[in-house]
Amino acid sequence: LFAAMPSPTSYRFEGVRPCLSKAGIVAQVGPGVTDVEVGDHCVLAFNSACGTCDRCSRGRAQLCRIRMKTMRIRMKDKDGKDMRQMGIGCMAEYTVVDRPSVIKVDKSIPLDKASLVGCCVTTGVGSVFNKARVEPGSTCACFGTGGVGLNVIQGCKIAGAKTIIAVDINDLKLEGAKKFGATHVVNPTKDGDPVKAIKTIVRDGVDYAFEVIGLPQTNEKACNFSCAGGTMCMVGVAGAKDTMPMPLVLNEKTFTSAIYGSSNPRRDFIKLLDLYQGGKLMLDELVTKTYKIDQVQSAFDDLFAGVNLRGVLVMGAQPKM
Ligand SMILES: NC(=O)c1ccc[n+]([C@@H]2O[C@H](COP(=O)([O-])OP(=O)(O)OC[C@H]3O[C@@H](n4cnc5c(N)ncnc54)[C@H](O)[C@@H]3O)[C@@H](O)[C@H]2O)c1
Ligand SMILES: [Zn+2]
């Protein structure tokens, strides 16, 4: 199994252990499952979709009625007691998941790269295509260029945006953002107020502003990145009790948000991996470093130090194809 490291910002919430995104090989199939075989390669969706409930049927698979079931405890220890795990249980050589979490993928795709599609790529690119619906020739800004933000940026590039402004306090991430399609970068610790900095690049503000950090203060700023009539899309997950002032109706802005890139894993994982195989989506460049499972502590140290675009944990050998 291969797992991409999550966002360190997710650790702000006490008691919550974020699930990682994961890819692997099917080792065993439970009763009643007829369309997945031992040896199949798959990417696991933590926000899974049954495909048949009223929400899935109405094209809102990201809000599927059963999606939270992936969070239930599915493993027992040798004494039959429930084992604690979060989500799809990523930091292990084996995990047990529900059938809807399993998306079969082409065996020629390296699993360490495919694992990224389980969260940050789907969330970032999906927010651009499925929710904000960025148009060719438009102007965009992305506040926060971690694993998810970089994928908002490459999504905007694929969508044909003419101006893409990356905003982050970490220069290493901003360097990465340039590789992923940013036309301009802003570091508020050096360049001052990012709203002013953005308006020196695009006079009235951008058509599409994305917040990909998850803080009330950065959400408020990102509202002001967008022009009158523009769209602000919240991707970062703020605390349940956080609040944010909204600008007045006068500027007719659209505020929206996207969970899991408003994606349907069955449709979008395959689409994204097709783009990767066609050379249009960058996954290789997203992995700065891979770690063996016994190096998990240094993977977390590097995560909190912000030195990787994404780190990937490797729980076994990459299969030879
Ligand atoms: N909507 C969804 O379905 C979904 C899915 C996955 C992750 N998320 C959320 O998206 C957010 C980003 O996730 P990620 O994995 O990219 O995280 P990350 O930690 O890799 O990236 C966060 C980036 O924000 C920057 N940053 C932090 N504080 C900042 C500040 N005050 N000003 C400017 N930049 C700042 C960091 O330098 C970093 O580059 C998190 O809130 C995460 O919980 C949402
Ligand atoms: Zn459903």
Side-chain angles (χ1 to χ4, degrees):
L1 282 159
F2 296 78
M5 296 295 286
S7 149
T9 48
S10 321
Y11 289 88
R12 283 178 298 128
F13 307 122
E14 207 183 331
V16 172
R17 294 285 170 276
C19 37
L20 298 82
S21 49
K22 193 166 212 173
I25 302 171
V26 177
Q28 220 180 324
V29 180
V33 176
T34 53
D35 55 348
V36 176
E37 286 172 14
V38 172
D40 281 346
H41 288 201
C42 58
V43 176
L44 300 183
F46 72 83
N47 200 64
S48 59
C50 71
T52 55
C53 73
D54 58 329
R55 292 182 181 173
C56 282
S57 306
R58 294 178 66 202
R60 294 178 189 159
Q62 75 276 21
L63 300 172
C64 172
R65 297 260 178 208
I66 61 113
R67 69 194 166 118
M68 288 302 163
K69 270 200 178 169
T70 53
M71 306 291 172
R72 76 186 162 84
I73 290 169
R74 297 175 301 271
M75 285 187 271
K76 309 251 182 223
D77 67 13
K78 59 180 175 10
D79 302 321
K81 285 205 205 102
D82 284 345
M83 280 168 69
R84 279 178 65 86
Q85 68 180 75
M86 165 72 186
I88 46 180
C90 278
M91 259 178 280
E93 286 178 68
Y94 293 90
T95 187
V96 178
V97 294
D98 290 319
R99 169 66 191 93
S101 289
V102 178
I103 310 298
K104 262 205 287 196
V105 299
D106 192 310
K107 285 188 177 171
S108 67
I109 302 167
L111 286 167
D112 55 341
K113 309 304 178 329
S115 70
L116 299 159
V117 168
C119 185
C120 66
V121 179
T122 295
T123 300
V125 179
S127 300
V128 170
F129 280 94
N130 299 328
K131 197 36 105 75
R133 297 179 188 266
V134 169
E135 290 157 349
S138 53
T139 55
C140 303
C142 181
F143 205 174
T145 56
V148 181
L150 289 175
N151 284 291
V152 165
I153 287 170
Q154 74 165 330
C156 292
K157 182 183 169 197
I158 295 169
K162 72 170 177 200
T163 305
I164 305 170
I165 307 166
V167 187
D168 203 292
I169 49 177
N170 180 334
D171 280 334
L172 182 132
K173 309 275 179 163
L174 290 174
E175 279 310 306
K178 287 186 203 160
K179 294 197 190 106
F180 279 76
T183 57
H184 301 76
V185 297
V186 171
N187 182 337
T189 57
K190 297 176 180 165
D191 303 324
D193 181 8
V195 177
K196 281 196 191 137
I198 281 177
K199 291 190 177 174
T200 60
I201 302 165
V202 181
R203 192 168 61 118
D204 292 331
V206 293
D207 298 316
Y208 299 94
F210 295 86
E211 199 280 355
V212 200
I213 301 166
L215 300 171
Q217 62 272 29
T218 47
N219 266 294
E220 194 180 341
K221 285 278 178 206
C223 282
N224 296 317
F225 289 178
S226 61
C227 62
T231 297
M232 162 7 190
C233 181
M234 293 175 231
V235 181
V237 181
K241 294 189 182 138
D242 286 340
T243 56
M244 181 181 74
M246 295 294 224
L248 297 173
V249 70
L250 217 56
N251 282 322
E252 212 187 34
K253 293 190 185 189
T254 301
F255 297 95
T256 189
S257 58
I259 180 76
Y260 215 30
S262 294
S263 290
N264 179 341
R266 283 171 210 252
R267 179 194 65 196
D268 293 336
F269 284 10
I270 308 300
K271 230 196 238 182
L272 290 166
L273 289 170
D274 280 349
L275 283 171
Y276 168 65
Q277 287 188 304
K280 295 207 166 63
L281 183 81
M282 302 203 297
L283 296 185
D284 298 341
E285 298 77 358
L286 208 52
V287 183
T288 309
K289 197 168 171 188
T290 56
Y291 304 83
K292 298 224 166 73
I293 187 64
D294 56 3
Q295 297 171 307
V296 68
Q297 187 54 51
S298 66
F300 274 95
D301 292 343
D302 289 350
L303 178 73
F304 286 102
V307 296
N308 290 335
L309 299 184
R310 262 308 190 242
V312 170
L313 283 177
V314 178
M315 256 74 67
Q318 182 91 246
K320 300 250 178 318
M321 282 297 136

